Amino acid sequence: MEEDVPQCGYCQSGQIMSAVALLSKKPNPTDTDIDDFMSGNICRCGTYQRIRKAIHRAASMQAGKANSAA
């Protein structure tokens, strides 16, 4: 929500599922990793830049939780 990703909601569930799968495999993905992994999801609104930014934010948040638990 902070990155204002969802617009029409058409792709939202698939984007979220793919992002979770990506972050479970690559906790700190590069832009290329994100683009490659998310390429199967088509966003009708074209919010790909915001989706990428949101995945980076989620990775940072996930890393912060891991660091605070250690």
Side-chain angles (χ1 to χ4, degrees):
M1 289 174 31
E2 289 85 358
E3 302 302 336
D4 197 29
V5 173
Q7 285 188 12
C8 75
Y10 178 79
C11 69
Q12 192 170 2
S13 58
Q15 298 286 3
I16 291 169
M17 291 173 61
S18 292
V20 169
L22 167 62
L23 292 174
S24 71
K25 291 183 180 189
K26 292 193 171 215
N28 189 25
T30 65
D31 285 348
T32 302
D33 293 333
I34 294 169
D35 293 345
D36 289 346
F37 206 89
M38 303 297 287
S39 66
N41 294 293
I42 297 173
C43 174
R44 293 171 42 174
C45 302
T47 64
Y48 297 109
Q49 297 296 328
R50 288 185 263 173
I51 291 167
R52 185 186 304 132
K53 192 172 179 183
I55 292 171
H56 282 299
R57 178 186 288 265
S60 295
M61 292 172 69
Q62 193 171 356
K65 286 182 182 178
N67 289 338
S68 65

